[in-house]
Amino acid sequence: MAPNSPHQSNASAAPPNDLGAVIEQERLPAGREALPEPLVAHSQRERILNSMARSCAAKGYGATTIADVCEPAGVSRATFYELFKDKEDCFHAAMELALAEAMGRIVAVYSPDKPWAAMVRDAAATFLELLATRPGFARMALVEAPSSGQRAFELYASGKRVLQSLLERGRDDPVEEQAIPSSAGRAALSAAESLIVGQILAGNTARLGELLPDIVYITMVPYLGQEEALRQAREAERAVAPTDG
Amino acid sequence: MIARSQRERLLEAAVRVVAEKGYGAATVADLTREAGISRTTFYAMFDDKEACFLAAYDNVAEALMRRVAKAYEGEERWPDRARAGLAALLGALAEEPAIARLALVDVGAAGPAAQRRYRAALQRLTPLFEEGRDFAPGGRSLPANTSRMAIGAVAGLIADELAEGRAEYLPGLLSDLLFATLVPYIGPAAATREVGGNE
């Protein structure tokens, strides 16, 4: 009944500095970093998956019907049921594809040579940018998946564990063990997630990038202290300052 | 008066039914049966299952908030107020695991309106967290979203525990929740001292 623990299987067997191994351990499909935007739908299957993501963004998973998915994709119901067992199966496949792409991009940010703070900032910026430009994915991954059945929840939880590993591992100084609780990273991610979901539900998905300084602050403060986390946040703020005006 | 007590019975029944069957599976018939009222009476009070659930949700959130606020106001220093409020919250949730799950986990499945209700309930904690700004030496320079994020951290840690069916262990989360509450306002060193100081 209870979903998989979001924190007990903490990918602890993977060596530090090897996010790829963490992702593999979470059994996520390989990343597809090279996908153009929007996802090119070569196949009926991909058109259906895109259509599912768009419908989730427009009206939510609960209200989405098979017709909502089939019509914009230009496929028949019969084709839909050849490819997917049901709506949930289709949602799961869409979430899996999108998550694989997101994780691919996050991994591309990761490098053992990069300072921890720069890596966290770049990963957060990449993630926010991805969400802002793909509202379907944003809605699916952070609003619908956590509450749309066990399989989708597990995908969501595995994505979260990857981000948690990114935050907790690969510190330059293997945490000068300030006796902070082991849940500090998970708490910081929940804090960031809550802020992001609030903006998505308020219809501000396109402006998620503006949250970068706050997310930099909340994810770094347990590890670096207030002064340095604020400095990092100010630096991030300069990076996201409007350049189009 | 009779209408009022029927309404209360119905709201309590809605919490029990949804906690037991899940929001999706619960029907208006389940609610009326559990509450011992007729369908006609139900529809005189609410348009549909969702409206009834949202009213029930507000009731639960209201009761939780009252307990938290009372404990919080019983202390002086902000970190002590935060500790007391969090302890009261955890105590209340541990007493009623079904309600706790409903309030923090299952609410996500009840649609966008319920999700907004959940977020609105959480935001009612904002003034309690924002006092951290006055307490913290550099409080004014902290990000505007600090309280939202700290509240999100607390809710997330509780929801993780509930999702694993560990409601009875919730009171054991107090140190982690207190750290998550304090750290954005006073930093890790001071937060660690506060967490350890009163144990």
Side-chain angles (χ1 to χ4, degrees):
Chain A
M1 264 280 280
N4 267 2
S5 157
H7 56 287
Q8 287 189 346
S9 51
N10 187 15
S12 50
N17 295 334
D18 188 355
L19 200 67
V22 174
I23 288 178
E24 204 162 295
Q25 210 164 294
E26 295 293 347
R27 288 190 296 276
L28 293 173
R32 302 181 55 175
E33 296 139 67
L35 282 181
E37 290 244 0
L39 202 69
V40 177
H42 288 301
S43 66
Q44 287 180 320
R45 187 171 187 277
E46 285 194 352
R47 286 210 303 280
I48 292 174
L49 297 181
N50 279 329
S51 179
M52 170 58 93
R54 272 196 298 271
S55 179
C56 279
K59 58 200 293 201
Y61 171 72
T64 292
T65 63
I66 303 290
D68 291 333
V69 175
C70 290
E71 276 163 29
V75 301
S76 66
R77 287 180 79 87
T79 305
F80 179 91
Y81 284 108
E82 270 166 34
L83 293 167
F84 303 102
K85 203 162 101 274
D86 51 23
K87 182 174 102 168
E88 190 191 340
D89 190 36
C90 174
F91 177 77
H92 184 265
M95 174 77 182
E96 203 169 51
L97 180 66
L99 192 61
E101 188 194 346
M103 291 305 139
R105 291 196 189 185
I106 301 267
V107 171
V109 159
Y110 184 87
S111 155
D113 306 326
K114 216 186 246 185
W116 177 83
M119 193 180 70
V120 170
R121 184 196 59 222
D122 291 352
T126 302
F127 191 54
L128 288 173
E129 164 76 12
L130 183 74
L131 295 172
T133 53
R134 305 280 296 273
F137 170 60
R139 171 92 193 205
M140 205 163 58
L142 293 175
V143 180
E144 307 293 342
S147 59
S148 300
Q150 178 78 9
R151 288 174 72 210
F153 178 87
E154 278 163 16
L155 273 182
Y156 155 82
S158 68
K160 211 168 159 179
R161 282 195 294 272
V162 171
L163 297 181
Q164 192 184 329
S165 302
L166 183 72
L167 184 59
E168 290 174 350
R169 289 164 176 278
R171 302 278 322 282
D172 322 334
D173 41 349
V175 187
E176 60 284 3
E177 303 302 342
Q178 301 154 315
I180 64 172
S182 61
S183 64
R186 194 157 47 88
L189 273 186
S190 284
E193 181 184 3
S194 175
L195 190 60
I196 293 170
V197 171
Q199 290 292 75
I200 294 174
L201 290 176
N204 295 330
T205 307
R207 293 171 50 193
L208 282 175
E210 294 169 16
L211 299 181
L212 184 64
D214 289 3
I215 286 172
V216 161
Y217 179 73
I218 203 72
T219 49
M220 294 189 190
V221 68
Y223 303 103
L224 303 181
Q226 285 184 294
E227 199 180 319
E228 177 62 11
L230 279 172
R231 200 184 67 76
Q232 294 283 349
R234 279 194 299 271
E235 218 163 84
E237 190 150 28
R238 279 195 291 277
V240 296
T243 49
D244 56 339
Chain B
M1 286 320 278
I2 288 169
R4 177 164 164 72
S5 81
Q6 277 182 333
R7 187 184 151 90
E8 275 169 12
R9 273 213 315 280
L10 176 57
L11 294 182
E12 284 164 19
V15 170
R16 281 196 302 275
V17 169
V18 172
E20 197 176 300
K21 301 186 76 166
Y23 178 78
T27 62
V28 169
D30 293 329
L31 302 185
T32 54
R33 196 181 320 112
E34 178 80 16
I37 62 167
S38 70
R39 271 183 94 77
T40 313
T41 308
F42 178 93
Y43 285 108
M45 290 189 280
F46 295 106
D47 285 346
D48 53 21
K49 173 176 93 168
E50 185 182 25
C52 176
F53 175 75
L54 293 179
Y57 193 83
D58 288 346
N59 249 14
V60 167
E62 178 73 28
L64 278 175
M65 274 301 297
R66 270 199 304 272
R67 280 181 71 162
V68 170
K70 189 162 175 244
Y72 180 93
E73 279 151 19
E75 298 289 340
E76 284 295 321
R77 287 174 67 247
W78 180 68
D80 299 331
R81 285 158 86 84
R83 174 190 293 269
L86 291 168
L89 177 65
L90 291 171
L93 294 174
E95 270 169 34
E96 307 217 48
I99 290 180
R101 254 199 85 105
L102 175 84
L104 280 118
V105 182
D106 299 331
V107 63
Q115 287 180 17
R116 275 193 284 272
R117 240 20 182 257
Y118 165 63
R119 303 190 67 81
L122 289 183
Q123 291 320 317
R124 293 177 60 183
L125 293 167
T126 299
L128 312 191
F129 280 74
E130 275 297 289
E131 280 186 26
R133 254 182 222 284
D134 305 326
F135 177 82
R140 292 292 134 200
S141 60
L142 297 176
N145 284 314
T146 300
S147 64
R148 283 181 191 215
M149 293 191 288
I151 292 168
V154 165
L157 291 178
I158 295 175
D160 285 348
E161 203 77 356
L162 289 169
E164 283 171 57
R166 291 169 49 89
E168 69 270 36
Y169 298 107
L170 281 176
L173 284 190
L174 181 58
S175 296
D176 285 11
L177 297 192
L178 185 59
F179 182 85
T181 299
L182 301 181
V183 72
Y185 291 100
I186 62 176
T192 305
R193 276 197 303 279
E194 290 289 344
V195 169
N198 289 316
E199 266 174 8

